[in-house]
Amino acid sequence: MSMRSIYCGNVNLSAKDTQVTLCGWVNRRRDLGGLIFIDLRDRTGIVQVVFEPDNQQLHEVASTLRNEFCICVKGTVKARPADQINSKMATGEIEVYASELKIFNKSAALPLDFNQENTEEQRLRYRYLDLRRPQMVNMLTTRAKITHFVRQFMDSHGFLDIETPMLTKATPEGARDYLVPSRVHHGKFYALPQSPQLFKQLLMIAGYDRYYQIVKCFRDEDLRADRQPEFTQIDVETSFMTSQDVRDIMEEMIVSLFKNMKNVDLGKLPVMTWEEAMDRFGSDKPDLRIDFELKLVDEAVKNSEFKVLSEPACDDKSRVIAFALPGGAALTRRQIDDYTDYVKKMGGSGLLYIKVNEIAKGAEGLKASFGKHVTEKELTDLVALSGAKDGDMVFIGCGPRVKTATAMGALRLKTAKDANLVADGYKALWVVDFPMFEMTDEAGLTAMHHPFTAPKDVTPEQLIADPMSVYADAYDLVINGYESGGGSVRIYDQNMQNAVFTVLGISKEEAREKFGFLLDALSFGAPPHAGLAFGLDRVTMLIAGTDNIRDVIAFPKTTAAACLMTDAPNFASSDALNELAIAVTDIEK
């Protein structure tokens, strides 16, 4: 029997009364005593195959079939009777009457149940079986269509697909590097790239003014549902384009992609500054599908005798922030306590609340956790500034500006999800004008993006004099609360690059050691350049409609950065370590 003539999901009435040869896996078998029905599956879909008892030898072989047997079937396509059409199947108008059957391979008892939910651990351990499920086929097919679309778009806009090295030198990108020891150069290590940042800048200096690459990147950082140790970027860099030019062309790509893949029109994307995003949503990746926003309510309590509120209200570096949760007055004390604990976990100092029963009754219609500490006017003013309505709950946080906004922003997201107040669909925006630097508890002053990001509208001298007042010429594209892409104008002037290194406490010697090749390149007629990178995994996750990035990666790692299927990472042999001149001194038990 010859191999496949058509895919299972492509058989339809146009093939009626013709012979087809199908290859795939048994999705389901039903033996009705006489007729045997097989649902045959490949990556395109499922088709029903019928084995009649007239052909005794064929019927006997068909009776041995079980789920996930890999087989080849030859047969004739016939239209189903009108009362037997299966409208739930793409191939539901036809069935194939088998004349030949070949079993390529039988299947052992399955460790996964395709008809039920399996644990993620089971799915990842037997990923090759999990990937057979139609849901997973759909995820990876969606991913393939996205990359195909992106390549076509970039090619049509004059971008060149250029590869950059995987074995390179460690550079500060905000996370730990994965290191690869060199056998030839004992004691030296390559680093796997956290992004192709320096190489794509060098390509601009080399004159390749429109570069793109769909590229693997590596970061040794703590994982979560939307993060992996190895991930894929749609990486872009341009010369002689402003930040607005870059945003325009990338917005065109993303809007066209969603129209093509989901028939969704994202429209003209709004632009919001980092300051506005933090004030209104407590996040630099705001989810615009949630109607209610954070409100600044300082004015209501600046003169209050309740110092918990009045002190942060009168402090330029602090805030009193509130939001009104629609229908939140129905929350129980247990739920409120859980939200209080959540705010503290997210870095907030605590949580105050006002149950809004009936605004028309003034303070009598309100029940506040701190009511006895404030005046009736202060209480009603807080409710008015929050925008609350009858039946709402006003949550209030106070303290240092960014910490409080971030904690209240996280609570906004959590309460909205818990109350099912996140609208369906897609909402996207640009967030721009990020602070150039941020102060961290661990590392002191650091670059918010990376040290090659250009500052906005300042001289090197002004940057050094007051770095915390400087904004970066940077931009993020946010979709449904996920940072889907981000980039910036790059520094192309040596003096400005040296000024940034000075602010970050990177000495000339350290800069020369780490980035000497880039600094040299900047001295040879470097053009103005800017770029951006989209997270392909994250964009695919959004389009595919899942909230777990592992669903859209063929062979992902767990949150412990391990592959359950291959048992990676694993120990190296003593011979391999000796060749690399490496001794392992601390083995985890």
Side-chain angles (χ1 to χ4, degrees), residues 526-537:
H529 54 287
L532 179 143
F534 289 103
L536 174 62
D537 311 299

Side-chain angles (χ1 to χ4, degrees), residues 53 74 122 131 163 206 227 322-323 346 358 397 447 469 517 534 539:
K74 187 174 183 180
Q122 287 173 300
L131 290 175
E163 290 186 348
R227 191 180 274 172
F323 69 81
M346 300 309 292
E358 193 174 346
S469 70
F517 60 96
F534 289 103
V539 171

Side-chain angles (χ1 to χ4, degrees), residues 470-511:
V470 177
Y471 291 95
D473 201 352
Y475 34 84
D476 281 358
L477 192 144
V478 179
I479 305 173
N480 288 5
Y482 288 96
E483 180 196 329
S484 302
S488 66
V489 173
R490 320 304 187 188
I491 296 169
Y492 64 96
D493 174 73
Q494 265 191 315
N495 293 328
M496 184 62 80
Q497 189 65 76
N498 287 331
V500 170
F501 287 154
T502 298
V503 168
L504 293 174
I506 299 173
S507 66
K508 287 184 179 180
E509 295 74 19
E510 186 182 357

Side-chain angles (χ1 to χ4, degrees), residues 178-189:
Y178 279 103
L179 300 176
V180 180
S182 169
R183 179 184 59 81
V184 178
H185 305 282
H186 282 177
K188 293 186 176 182
F189 294 81

Side-chain angles (χ1 to χ4, degrees), residues 204 209 237-242 489-492 525-530:
M204 296 304 103
D209 62 304
E237 197 77 8
T238 67
S239 298
F240 310 113
M241 291 177 75
T242 64
V489 173
R490 320 304 187 188
I491 296 169
Y492 64 96
H529 54 287

Side-chain angles (χ1 to χ4, degrees), residues 48-67:
Q48 181 166 282
V49 180
V50 183
F51 295 90
E52 298 176 292
D54 299 356
N55 187 334
Q56 187 178 352
Q57 185 178 2
L58 181 65
H59 192 269
E60 285 179 3
V61 178
S63 69
T64 68
L65 295 176
R66 296 293 182 269
N67 285 5

